[in-house]
Each structure stands twice: as structure tokens, then as C-alpha cells.
């Protein structure tokens, strides 16, 4: 087994990090928009966050498919970081949806 990732694996890991980071940024922007009462922008940002997470999952699926096919990846700090980034972004996105919903409810009272 190689001590380093292949170029394809590195690209998938970087795709995870980039897209997960974009998702978290969009989710934060959704919260800020909702805080200002701009619910149309908040919804747009939540949709963008969801799309970024779909892209991140595509990268992750590629890595999982490779491993299931007998091509395991060397576990590096970068690979662990990418998974941590993805899981944190998923959780943050879920919470952002709840926060936006709360701002909507408060705005209607």
C-alpha cells in the first residue's frame, strides 16, 4: 500500500473540504439574512448550502466506491480533516435551517 494518496484521491479530498466549507459559509449567510428579515435570501443560501453538500457527497462517494473496489486510501490528516469538515458542515446546515425557521416564526408574531 502506498504511503500517499493518489492524485484522484487528493482531488476528492480537496473537493470534500472545498464544498463542505462552501456549504457552511452559505448556511451562515442564510442565518445572517434571516436575522435581517431577508427570508428570500436566506432560502437561496440554504439551497446553495444543500447543493454544496451534494457536491461534497459526490466526492465522498467516489472515495467509498474506490475503497469498496479494493483500492483503499492511505489515511492522512488531510483525509480525516475532510471527513470532519463534511460532518461539521452537515450539522451546521441542519441547525441553520432551524434557526432560519425560528426567525421566520418570530417575524410572524
Amino acid at each position: 500500500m502506498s504511503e500517499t494518496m493518489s492524485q484522484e484521491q487528493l482531488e476528492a479530498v480537496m473537493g470534500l473540504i472545498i464544498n463542505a466549507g462552501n456549504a457552511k459559509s452559505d448556511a451562515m449567510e442564510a442565518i445572517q439574512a434571516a436575522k435581517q428579515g431577508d427570508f428570500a435570501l436566506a432560502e437561496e443560501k440554504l439551497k446553495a448550502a444543500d447543493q454544496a453538500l451534494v457536491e461534497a457527497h459526490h466526492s465522498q462517494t467516489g472515495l467509498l466506491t474506490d475503497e469498496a473496489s479494493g483500492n483503499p486510501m492511505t489515511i492522512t490528516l488531510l483525509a480525516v480533516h475532510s471527513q470532519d469538515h463534511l460532518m461539521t458542515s452537515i450539522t451546521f446546515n441542519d441547525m441553520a435551517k432551524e434557526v432560519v425557521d425560528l426567525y421566520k416564526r418570530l417575524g410572524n408574531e
Side-chain angles (χ1 to χ4, degrees):
M1 184 162 71
S2 173
E3 294 293 323
T4 61
M5 286 185 241
S6 71
Q7 184 63 32
E8 293 81 18
Q9 290 169 334
L10 180 59
E11 288 173 11
V13 165
M14 294 308 295
L16 270 168
I17 293 169
I18 290 165
N19 287 301
N22 288 344
K24 190 173 178 188
S25 293
D26 285 332
M28 178 57 82
E29 288 177 24
I31 291 171
Q32 294 305 315
K35 188 175 185 179
Q36 299 300 317
D38 189 345
F39 299 111
L41 179 59
E43 290 301 323
E44 180 182 316
K45 291 295 182 176
L46 289 175
K47 286 179 184 172
D50 284 340
Q51 185 57 44
L53 288 175
V54 166
E55 293 301 319
H57 275 290
H58 286 185
S59 295
Q60 184 185 50
T61 299
L63 293 170
L64 293 171
T65 300
D66 279 353
E67 183 147 337
S69 298
N71 185 23
M73 181 173 75
T74 300
I75 303 302
T76 65
L77 183 56
L78 190 61
V80 171
H81 175 67
S82 72
Q83 293 299 303
D84 181 52
H85 217 46
L86 176 60
M87 298 312 299
T88 302
S89 294
I90 290 169
T91 301
F92 193 87
N93 191 45
D94 290 344
M95 291 303 299
K97 290 175 183 177
E98 293 299 320
V99 170
V100 168
D101 185 56
L102 286 172
Y103 275 118
K104 282 182 184 176
R105 290 173 189 234
L106 289 172
N108 288 331
E109 292 180 1

